[in-house]
Amino acid sequence: MEPRGYRMVVSTVSNYVETCGIAERELIAWLASKRYDTSGLAEGRTEVADHATLDRDHESGMNGAYSRWRMRETPSATSGTWQSTLVVRSGLPEDEGRTWVQVDIEHQPADASVFPTPANTPGIARSLLDALEARDGQADVTTAPAFIEDDEDVDDLIEELCDSGRRMPVVIATVPFGKDPDDWSRKVVEPLFRNLHGLAVLYVLAPTAQAKFNGALEFHPVFGGGVRTYMPELDPAWKPDAQRHPVMSRRTIEANVRRAAAILANLPQRLASRVALPAALLSVPRQRARLRPHSDNADIKQLRSDNAALTLLLDEAEQAEGIRVSEVNDLYAELTVIERAAHDLRGENEELYDKFQESQRLIAYLRERLHTIGEFTAAYAPVDTPSIVCPTSFAELLDRLTELPHLSFTGNRKITQGLDSQSVDNWLSVAWDGLLALNRFAEASADETAGSDFLSWCKSDKSGAFPFPAAKVAMRESDTVAKNGKLRTERMLPVPRSVDPSGKAFMQAHLKIGRGNTVAPRLHFFEDGPRSGKVYVGYLGPHLRNTLT
């Protein structure tokens, strides 16, 4: 699911009173920049413009204190409402004197059936970061990326990456060889990071520090002008963990910096809306907007005005409830996807374990036979197997398809190349292994030795030197997808007219290339081995839409 709004959560070592003073000052400056009336701000509701109201509430007691400002802007009857919330909360005892600051921006459409407009980084978030000494765990949260130039900086950066208290992702950009770091940062990195303020901790890794950094994080490197997003709970010693931390290539960045900036911000923005709030902020009660009190002898005109305002508050509450219900439904949909993925992974792990055990038993049996006939060297000597060099990018993978004569790629090359900007480590190797296996299967089909379809071939011993996990193969889509016109149309993919006169075929058979984030790439193919000796690959890219996406 795409992120709906913007959320920034940072802490500061400044005390609650001082932080409230800074927050109110920056809020007033932000309102003034919008030409709103800031002269009468007080507790309760204030109309700062014809189309905008500001609600203020605060509380202090034994459980600490908080101050909250919420602005609602409705430019027109059809535009919907933009709601901006700023909260300053004193920390709990376990927060060791920190004060928390939270900024939320969300769009509430006038029509409940319309998807909310995505929220960009607001000016108030940037001004607060510039005014406060904002932190996330051990790291400083700023609007300008910090340069990592020497060994001491690298040590500090690695410590921050491994900090268990880190909530935000850390985004690290590198400088290409031969480029001036300051010039590259100004022209490329700053525009690239424009949507990340308050969502991530930002760094630029200078060439002088790259070697030590990549040496310390051998499974999680970044170089060559690329950018890597390091998610919380990094495990630098575990290679599979690298899949969680996506890389964006220099090619993708330079092709369109503005588009790359939007892609780069998607994951941090989604994480910000999903990660649990700190306990101090979770304890802040739901805001209930209220009118300012009037004298007891209010006239009819005032009562009517209050009645209209109360009706408006009820409408706002109903609208907010609708937004929350929609978010809960989205979370249920995400949970369904995750549970299905977990089920698939369990099946895949069981299959791989069974194959591993079978291979171990076969190795032991063969060694015993060789030992019996006196071939001791052959039984225990290391196996010299030819290595298959995997492509280093999806762009290179497409170029190397000429090595696979029984495959024909008919898909959109730009979509496949786009995976380089979001790929995790094993997607490329899984895709290449799948293509090798499909090529071998197509050859066997042409020779009439395959026996059945690709899934059955993967389950048999016929795959030989090009095995592929059967659990990653699906030969058909669900009935709901196959019978849905729009979803089926997405899977009508190009083939030669000699295969189908329409120039398209329903490619429901697919390989599950990867999981780990919302991209979850798939490779859709069409078997035509018995007729043309080919397998046609009509799509390699992000997961196509289904009933859950």
Side-chain angles (χ1 to χ4, degrees), residues 388-523:
I388 300 174
V389 179
C390 180
T392 59
S393 68
F394 280 94
E396 182 186 337
L397 177 146
L398 293 173
D399 293 338
R400 288 183 57 185
L401 287 178
T402 54
E403 300 174 19
L404 310 177
H406 296 279
L407 288 187
S408 179
F409 183 79
T410 62
N412 187 317
R413 296 177 68 91
K414 287 185 177 180
I415 292 176
T416 302
Q417 291 170 353
L419 291 175
D420 283 327
S421 67
Q422 303 173 71
S423 179
V424 296
D425 283 359
N426 76 330
W427 288 0
L428 197 56
S429 59
V430 171
W432 185 243
D433 287 344
L435 291 169
L436 291 173
L438 282 169
N439 182 69
R440 181 68 187 90
F441 167 75
E443 182 181 6
S445 294
D447 296 339
E448 299 183 352
T449 59
S452 186
D453 62 17
F454 183 63
L455 177 59
S456 300
W457 189 78
C458 288
K459 291 179 178 179
S460 71
D461 296 328
K462 297 178 181 179
S463 55
F466 301 100
F468 192 77
K472 286 185 173 291
V473 182
M475 294 306 298
R476 61 186 301 274
E477 296 280 11
S478 66
D479 288 342
T480 52
V481 170
K483 294 177 180 179
N484 183 297
K486 291 183 179 179
L487 302 181
R488 183 183 177 91
T489 299
E490 284 192 9
R491 291 156 177 81
M492 296 296 297
L493 298 165
V495 293
R497 295 193 179 276
S498 58
V499 175
D500 190 293
S502 69
K504 291 185 177 181
F506 180 40
M507 296 193 190
Q508 57 179 331
H510 59 274
L511 308 183
K512 303 168 187 176
I513 301 304
R515 295 183 177 87
N517 60 27
T518 56
V519 180
R522 297 292 186 262
L523 185 155

Side-chain angles (χ1 to χ4, degrees), residues 57-131:
D57 68 313
H58 73 278
E59 186 177 297
S60 60
M62 295 180 61
N63 296 321
Y66 73 86
S67 289
R68 174 168 45 196
W69 300 263
R70 188 190 69 181
M71 182 168 67
R72 292 175 59 83
E73 301 169 279
T74 309
S76 69
T78 59
S79 65
T81 299
W82 283 97
Q83 180 167 291
S84 309
T85 307
L86 168 61
V87 179
V88 177
R89 174 71 162 98
S90 60
L92 301 178
E94 58 266 30
D95 291 323
E96 300 177 347
R98 287 180 294 176
T99 302
W100 293 96
V101 178
Q102 177 181 350
V103 175
D104 282 292
I105 309 292
E106 62 179 341
H107 178 240
Q108 299 172 351
D111 183 349
S113 64
V114 177
F115 195 81
T117 302
N120 295 321
T121 305
I124 183 64
R126 292 191 175 95
S127 63
L128 285 170
L129 290 178
D130 290 337

Side-chain angles (χ1 to χ4, degrees), residues 294-309:
H294 295 288
S295 60
D296 293 336
N297 58 349
D299 56 20
I300 294 296
K301 183 178 179 181
Q302 182 62 57
L303 290 173
R304 286 174 176 169
S305 176
D306 287 352
N307 182 65

Side-chain angles (χ1 to χ4, degrees), residues 12 72 103 128 169 201 205 225 229 237 290 342 349-350 388 436 480:
T12 177
R72 292 175 59 83
V103 175
L128 285 170
V201 179
L205 189 62
T229 301
R290 58 189 185 276
N349 288 340
E350 289 176 8
I388 300 174
L436 291 173
T480 52

